[in-house]
Amino acid sequence: GLVIGVLATVIVGHYYYKRTITKRLSVYRLFDNRIFAGIDDAVREQLKFLYRGEEVSDLQQCHFIVANDGERAVRDYIEPLTLTLPKEASILDAVVLHRRPSELAVTVTHTTDDKGLSRLTCNFPLLNKNDFFVIKVLIRGAVKISDLTFHMLCEDLPRTLQAQWLPPSSTVKPQKKVEWIGLVVGISFLIPTITTLFCLYL
């Protein structure tokens, strides 16, 4: 009974310990739209679009959600979350549309490196569990969002993050549920222990 009790404690404790050390940062695609898509070519040739004084031949608007959906806070990264666009595209503007909690400190900047590549950088000192922010990016040109890869250098996190579509389950308010794994494991080890003690009592 003592041995079984110790084993049950170790297994259940290890399970919940693994849960507490899980660290995960995700980037989700929320919106992707080419502004000039669907305009007839003959009409498009007669139109001239300016954005902040710059002529734009093609414009794409994307919304991304950066979320901490792990169990640990994301902080003290070596290199911030960065997105580099291919040469045929460049970032015109990038802003934070929403953040949770509202006091979350996050800034986004867009620059051009020595090779002429446009780069988006997201800086946040601390992203706790369930914290997230939404960014809007205006891109001159057309890119496949599925081909874009975010890069980040942080302990216990992968170096690259692929933007994926937001799963439908994420928009549903989570319900309280029983931790069946822990309950079943605990009961499976508890029954033999109780049986042994009962036999000893008899």
PDB file of all heavy atoms in Angstrom, residues 18 21 61 73 108 127:
ATOM      1  N   LYS A  18       4.678  18.640 -15.497  1.00  0.00           N
ATOM      2  CA  LYS A  18       4.887  18.843 -16.918  1.00  0.00           C
ATOM      3  C   LYS A  18       3.943  19.910 -17.462  1.00  0.00           C
ATOM      4  O   LYS A  18       4.287  20.681 -18.349  1.00  0.00           O
ATOM      5  CB  LYS A  18       4.674  17.524 -17.672  1.00  0.00           C
ATOM      6  CG  LYS A  18       5.736  16.476 -17.395  1.00  0.00           C
ATOM      7  CD  LYS A  18       7.084  16.901 -17.943  1.00  0.00           C
ATOM      8  CE  LYS A  18       7.102  16.850 -19.456  1.00  0.00           C
ATOM      9  NZ  LYS A  18       8.439  17.168 -20.004  1.00  0.00           N
ATOM     10  N   ILE A  21       5.234  23.522 -16.651  1.00  0.00           N
ATOM     11  CA  ILE A  21       6.427  24.017 -17.314  1.00  0.00           C
ATOM     12  C   ILE A  21       6.224  24.181 -18.817  1.00  0.00           C
ATOM     13  O   ILE A  21       7.144  24.581 -19.529  1.00  0.00           O
ATOM     14  CB  ILE A  21       7.631  23.085 -17.065  1.00  0.00           C
ATOM     15  CG1 ILE A  21       7.398  21.712 -17.702  1.00  0.00           C
ATOM     16  CG2 ILE A  21       7.931  22.964 -15.594  1.00  0.00           C
ATOM     17  CD1 ILE A  21       8.612  20.810 -17.642  1.00  0.00           C
ATOM     18  N   GLN A  61      -4.003  43.600 -46.737  1.00  0.00           N
ATOM     19  CA  GLN A  61      -4.193  43.861 -45.302  1.00  0.00           C
ATOM     20  C   GLN A  61      -4.288  42.536 -44.555  1.00  0.00           C
ATOM     21  O   GLN A  61      -5.082  41.664 -44.935  1.00  0.00           O
ATOM     22  CB  GLN A  61      -5.450  44.689 -45.059  1.00  0.00           C
ATOM     23  CG  GLN A  61      -5.659  45.041 -43.591  1.00  0.00           C
ATOM     24  CD  GLN A  61      -6.900  45.887 -43.353  1.00  0.00           C
ATOM     25  OE1 GLN A  61      -7.091  46.429 -42.276  1.00  0.00           O
ATOM     26  NE2 GLN A  61      -7.755  46.001 -44.358  1.00  0.00           N
ATOM     27  N   ALA A  73       4.851  32.114 -18.501  1.00  0.00           N
ATOM     28  CA  ALA A  73       4.990  33.446 -19.098  1.00  0.00           C
ATOM     29  C   ALA A  73       6.147  33.446 -20.090  1.00  0.00           C
ATOM     30  O   ALA A  73       7.129  32.727 -19.929  1.00  0.00           O
ATOM     31  CB  ALA A  73       5.224  34.484 -18.005  1.00  0.00           C
ATOM     32  N   VAL A 108       4.980  47.565 -31.980  1.00  0.00           N
ATOM     33  CA  VAL A 108       5.349  46.963 -33.261  1.00  0.00           C
ATOM     34  C   VAL A 108       6.007  48.032 -34.120  1.00  0.00           C
ATOM     35  O   VAL A 108       5.549  49.180 -34.166  1.00  0.00           O
ATOM     36  CB  VAL A 108       4.127  46.351 -33.976  1.00  0.00           C
ATOM     37  CG1 VAL A 108       3.600  45.155 -33.205  1.00  0.00           C
ATOM     38  CG2 VAL A 108       3.030  47.378 -34.187  1.00  0.00           C
ATOM     39  N   LEU A 127       4.579  38.452 -21.464  1.00  0.00           N
ATOM     40  CA  LEU A 127       3.321  37.934 -21.996  1.00  0.00           C
ATOM     41  C   LEU A 127       2.925  36.747 -21.133  1.00  0.00           C
ATOM     42  O   LEU A 127       3.470  35.646 -21.266  1.00  0.00           O
ATOM     43  CB  LEU A 127       3.489  37.513 -23.457  1.00  0.00           C
ATOM     44  CG  LEU A 127       2.221  37.508 -24.325  1.00  0.00           C
ATOM     45  CD1 LEU A 127       1.662  38.914 -24.459  1.00  0.00           C
ATOM     46  CD2 LEU A 127       2.513  36.935 -25.705  1.00  0.00           C
TER      47      LEU A 127
END
